[in-house]
Amino acid sequence: YTRSFAYNGTCVSDGADKSNIGKNISDIFIDETLLANCKAAADAGGGWVRAPQADGTQTLLMVTKLAKDGNFFFLTVPITKAWAPWSNDCTSAYASPCAERNVLSLVGMAAIHLLAALDSTQLVERISHITKRSDIFAADSTGDFVAYVVDKELECADGSTDCHDAWHEHWKTEILAAVQTEEGRWASLAAVGSAQDTL
C-alpha cells in the first residue's frame, strides 16, 4: 500500500488506514527527522528511508516524488521483510517455474535483509548470514538454493573465498555484465561439460 504526503508533512492518502489522512507524518511515525529525510529522498529522484516505530523496530520505505498542479508530494511504500511464496519441494537442479520463483524469492529476501541493516556492523553480519547460510538463510529454509554477495570485482563481500566455488573464472564477464545493469538480469553460464547453470 502507499501513503502520500504533501511537502509540509500532511498525509493526503493512506491505502492502509484512512484515519491517517490529514495527520502530520510525525503523528504517524515517531521520528522527527523523517519528513526532511523523505523530502530529500524524493528530491533526489527516489530512495530508501528508514522509519523508526514505537516498538523499536524500523520500517523501510521506498519514497518517490509526485508533482500535481504545481504542488509537490512524496509517496511512501513500506517494505515488509517476509518471504515471497516458496516451494519446499523444488530443487535448483532443474529449469522449472518453481526454481525461478524460489530464486526471485531468495534474491528479494537477501536484498531487504541488507537494505534494512542499521549500520555497517549489522551490514557485515547480514552479509555473513547470506554467504554462510545462517539465520533465515540456513539450508533448512532455502534447500539447495544459495545466494552470494560479491563486490564489483566479484570478490566475496564477506572477505571469504566461499563464493568463488560458485562459478568458473571464464564466467566473470557474463556475471559482471548482468550485475552492472541497473536492475540485474539472468545470466546463462555454460558450465564445464554439457551442464548449464543460471544465476
Side-chain angles (χ1 to χ4, degrees):
Y1 64 90
T2 62
R3 284 193 181 110
S4 306
F5 297 87
Y7 260 46
N8 66 3
T10 302
C11 180
V12 295
S13 71
D14 190 320
D17 185 352
K18 291 182 180 179
S19 69
N20 283 328
I21 297 174
K23 292 181 180 178
N24 192 274
I25 193 169
S26 61
D27 298 324
I28 300 171
F29 297 99
I30 62 169
D31 185 5
E32 293 297 327
T33 65
L34 186 59
L35 176 59
N37 293 340
C38 286
K39 287 165 58 175
D43 288 339
W48 296 102
V49 175
R50 290 180 179 85
Q53 304 293 303
D55 62 2
T57 62
Q58 293 199 6
T59 296
L60 195 62
L61 304 174
M62 170 51 74
V63 179
T64 190
K65 188 173 186 175
L66 174 68
K68 177 74 173 172
D69 298 327
N71 297 307
F72 294 108
F73 304 88
F74 60 88
L75 284 65
T76 66
V77 179
I79 301 298
T80 302
K81 187 176 178 181
W83 286 99
W86 184 274
S87 300
N88 288 319
D89 59 347
C90 186
T91 174
S92 66
Y94 301 100
S96 60
C98 69
E100 184 170 336
R101 286 193 302 271
N102 280 5
V103 167
L104 294 174
S105 180
L106 179 57
V107 169
M109 181 55 86
I112 193 62
H113 196 60
L114 298 178
L115 285 169
L118 301 177
D119 52 39
S120 58
T121 300
Q122 191 175 74
L123 178 61
V124 170
E125 179 183 80
R126 289 181 175 213
I127 288 172
S128 180
H129 290 163
I130 298 168
T131 58
K132 302 295 186 187
R133 304 195 71 192
S134 62
D135 198 71
I136 60 173
F137 300 96
D140 60 351
S141 297
T142 59
D144 62 349
F145 292 85
V146 181
Y148 297 96
V149 183
V150 297
D151 63 20
K152 64 181 181 179
E153 304 300 328
L154 292 184
E155 296 299 323
C156 303
D158 64 354
S160 72
T161 59
D162 296 346
C163 58
H164 295 170
D165 295 334
W167 50 72
H168 300 286
E169 187 67 24
H170 65 276
W171 289 358
K172 279 194 171 184
T173 300
E174 178 68 16
I175 298 174
L176 282 171
V179 300
Q180 287 172 351
T181 61
E182 184 175 343
E183 297 179 355
R185 63 176 172 80
W186 292 102
S188 295
L189 309 172
V192 174
S194 60
Q196 183 89 1
D197 282 356
T198 302
L199 277 73

